[in-house]
Amino acid sequence: MKSKCFYLVAGGLLLMSTAANAGLSATVTATSDYTFNGVSQTDNGPALQGSLDYGFDSGWYVGGFTSNVDFGGSDDTWLELDTYAGKYYQLNKQLSLDVGLAYYTYHGDSFSDEYNYPELYSKLGYDTSLGHSEAKLTYTWDYFGLGGGHYTMLLGHTISVAEGHDIRFSVDRSTSLDEDKWSWDDGKSFNHYRVAYMTSWSGFDFSLAAEDTSMNLDTSDERLVLSVSRQFML
């Protein structure tokens, strides 16, 4: 088994507020690999993904995300369908806070729904002339339906190297609170390192990311991930 993706532009679910653009929006993404924290959710294969979000002027938002998945072996789970809701706070001109709850569900095999689980998330953002910094924390008490606690901490920074051209650096650490129920490559935690180049052209958003983890697994080794997405305001 693998874990969730957390970055839509790179292939997966980025839990971020749509409140800054209140209204209904949809995003379609094609990616060469659906990864979360460097771990492939598609057995190192491509994915087609979509999201639907509604943001309110008050800062509240709700949304959904879907993607094909492939956990390998005899597991016929092929679809992930998630929902989430939260609130975005613009604390001042530079500082923002995003908090919410997500629920991940899986479909395709007779036991796929046993993987379903909730997750709390929070993200603190800080903008300066040097770019956008973020600190993110996620926590669940029932990771992949196994009843064990699990959390992820992330630090990231995005800089603009030219108009319309950004580079994002991030490092995150995933930790199991109960190794008897879940472990990462026979350990309680692992690190993930990622550098992504992001740009837009003719309404499409492009991302090329290089990433690696501290685990020695075929689904989490060094790789390049290319993603193309487009957002539609409905």
Side-chain angles (χ1 to χ4, degrees):
M1 285 291 297
K2 294 83 174 177
S3 74
K4 296 287 69 40
C5 179
F6 211 63
Y7 195 70
L8 179 59
V9 175
L13 173 61
L14 171 63
L15 296 178
M16 63 178 294
S17 172
T18 58
N21 297 296
L24 183 64
S25 65
T27 303
V28 178
T29 300
T31 181
S32 62
D33 195 351
Y34 173 12
T35 64
F36 170 50
N37 298 342
V39 182
S40 176
Q41 307 295 280
T42 47
D43 200 22
N44 300 325
L48 181 62
Q49 304 166 336
S51 67
L52 187 66
D53 303 274
Y54 190 87
F56 300 88
D57 290 329
S58 61
W60 288 98
Y61 61 90
V62 294
F65 166 83
T66 187
S67 176
N68 60 288
V69 295
D70 183 357
F71 296 145
S74 60
D75 191 332
D76 289 330
T77 302
W78 67 274
L79 179 67
E80 176 183 335
L81 181 59
D82 310 326
T83 56
Y84 46 92
K87 188 170 185 180
Y88 177 85
Y89 301 87
Q90 189 65 50
L91 302 177
N92 56 42
K93 185 177 180 180
Q94 294 177 305
L95 195 62
S96 63
L97 177 65
D98 188 359
V99 294
L101 173 67
Y103 191 71
Y104 303 97
T105 70
Y106 299 88
H107 310 269
D109 214 324
S110 59
F111 53 80
S112 296
D113 59 352
E114 296 178 9
Y115 301 152
N116 300 352
Y117 72 96
E119 186 175 73
L120 296 169
Y121 62 89
S122 63
K123 184 179 74 172
L124 189 66
Y126 188 69
D127 291 294
T128 69
S129 59
L130 299 178
H132 175 77
S133 300
E134 62 185 87
K136 187 183 300 179
L137 173 66
T138 71
Y139 169 75
T140 179
W141 54 94
D142 186 26
Y143 196 56
F144 261 102
L146 297 174
H150 186 276
Y151 68 90
T152 300
M153 297 184 296
L154 177 147
L155 294 175
H157 185 73
T158 303
I159 60 174
S160 179
V161 294
E163 185 176 357
H165 301 272
D166 299 327
I167 296 179
R168 183 177 185 268
F169 305 88
S170 65
V171 58
D172 48 81
R173 183 173 180 85
S174 296
T175 301
S176 172
L177 299 176
D178 190 341
E179 290 185 68
D180 292 334
K181 296 180 178 179
W182 184 279
S183 64
W184 291 107
D185 196 19
D186 297 324
K188 66 177 296 184
S189 60
F190 76 95
N191 299 323
H192 168 229
Y193 317 95
R194 186 173 183 275
V195 180
Y197 164 73
M198 299 175 291
T199 190
S200 299
W201 179 76
S202 294
F204 290 90
D205 298 317
F206 297 86
S207 169
L208 179 62
E211 50 189 309
D212 196 6
T213 76
S214 58
M215 294 191 293
N216 185 27
L217 298 173
D218 179 59
T219 53
S220 62
D221 57 9
E222 66 277 2
R223 67 194 59 217
L224 291 175
V225 178
L226 176 63
S227 304
V228 181
S229 65
R230 182 156 188 167
Q231 185 181 59
F232 304 88
M233 303 305 296
L234 305 176

